[in-house]
């Protein structure tokens, strides 16, 4: 029999989620603050102003600025307005996860093409190197295929 975990307060669960996503983002090569911004917008599900993000996450406006620009460029969040308010607000785009997967697939495709270009420059006499490099390109092609399938599955669930 497994022991049930104690239920956390809403505030604790929210804070833990935001920090966890920040750490995941960092492990994927993104700034931790960008992950925290995305997590806050995901968790809260509301339009949040630039200033509210900086205050809630206790980070500088400069960090928020660079993070929202990065997240916007990756089509994960968008800038929105509230009638009668001149501030910029941000929210998660409707298809954020599909965009995330499609961007990963595009990077895998590009990596495969670059590796295949290198493969074509390796002399035919270098059979061992050619096999290893071809295997590496095949890895990225398989990643691209799998990510395309994942994006399609996500699109069908929306």
């Amino acid at each position: 029999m497994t022991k049930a975990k104690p239920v956390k307060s809403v505030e604790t669960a929210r804070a833990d989620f935001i920090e966890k996503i920040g750490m995941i983002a960092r492990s994927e090569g993104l700034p931790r603050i960008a992950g925290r911004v995305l997590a806050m917008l995901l968790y809260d599900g509301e339009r949040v102003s630039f200033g509210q993000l900086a205050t809630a996450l206790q980070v500088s406006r400069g960090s928020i600025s660079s993070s929202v620009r990065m997240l916007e460029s990756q089509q994960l969040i968008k800038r929105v307005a509230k009638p009668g308010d001149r501030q910029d607000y941000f929210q998660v785009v409707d298809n954020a996860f599909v965009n995330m997967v499609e961007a990963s697939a595009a990077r895998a495709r590009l990596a495969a093409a670059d590796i295949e270009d290198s493969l074509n420059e390796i002399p035919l006499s270098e059979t061992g190197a050619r096999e290893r490099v071809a295997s590496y390109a095949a890895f990225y092609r398989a990643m691209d295929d799998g990510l395309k399938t994942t994006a399609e599955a996500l699109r069908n669930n929306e």
Side-chain angles (χ1 to χ4, degrees):
M1 179 178 207
T2 59
K3 189 174 183 180
K5 286 184 177 181
V7 177
K8 295 180 179 181
S9 71
V10 172
E11 295 82 17
T12 301
R14 180 180 179 274
D16 288 352
F17 175 76
I18 290 169
E19 285 307 316
K20 193 175 291 181
I21 301 307
M23 298 304 285
I24 290 169
R26 189 173 71 180
S27 75
E28 294 178 354
L30 298 172
R32 181 171 157 242
I33 300 303
R36 292 178 69 216
V37 167
L38 180 61
M40 182 177 161
L41 294 173
L42 275 171
Y43 192 96
D44 294 348
E46 301 172 352
R47 294 182 283 190
V48 180
S49 75
F50 191 90
Q52 289 170 319
L53 286 168
T55 300
L57 298 174
Q58 299 178 336
V59 296
S60 72
R61 292 177 72 84
S63 291
I64 295 296
S65 179
S66 61
S67 292
V68 297
R69 277 195 314 271
M70 177 182 298
L71 293 169
E72 283 179 305
S73 73
Q74 293 179 359
Q75 298 177 344
L76 299 176
I77 68 170
K78 65 182 177 181
R79 201 173 294 248
V80 294
K82 279 189 177 179
D85 195 337
R86 296 184 331 167
Q87 287 191 76
D88 285 331
Y89 286 80
F90 302 93
Q91 69 184 41
V92 176
V93 299
D94 291 337
N95 51 356
F97 305 120
V98 172
N99 293 345
M100 191 181 295
V101 171
E102 287 176 341
S104 294
R107 288 190 300 273
R109 246 185 329 277
L110 181 59
D114 286 347
I115 294 166
E116 288 163 348
D117 286 346
S118 294
L119 175 63
N120 292 330
E121 295 173 358
I122 299 172
L124 294 175
S125 61
E126 294 295 310
T127 56
R130 289 182 59 79
E131 287 174 5
R132 290 185 296 274
V133 172
S135 178
Y136 194 34
F139 161 77
Y140 279 106
R141 288 290 174 204
M143 288 290 293
D144 178 31
D145 291 343
L147 290 167
K148 283 184 210 173
T149 300
T150 300
E152 188 60 33
L154 289 170
R155 224 178 271 107
N156 290 336
N157 285 332
E158 291 184 342

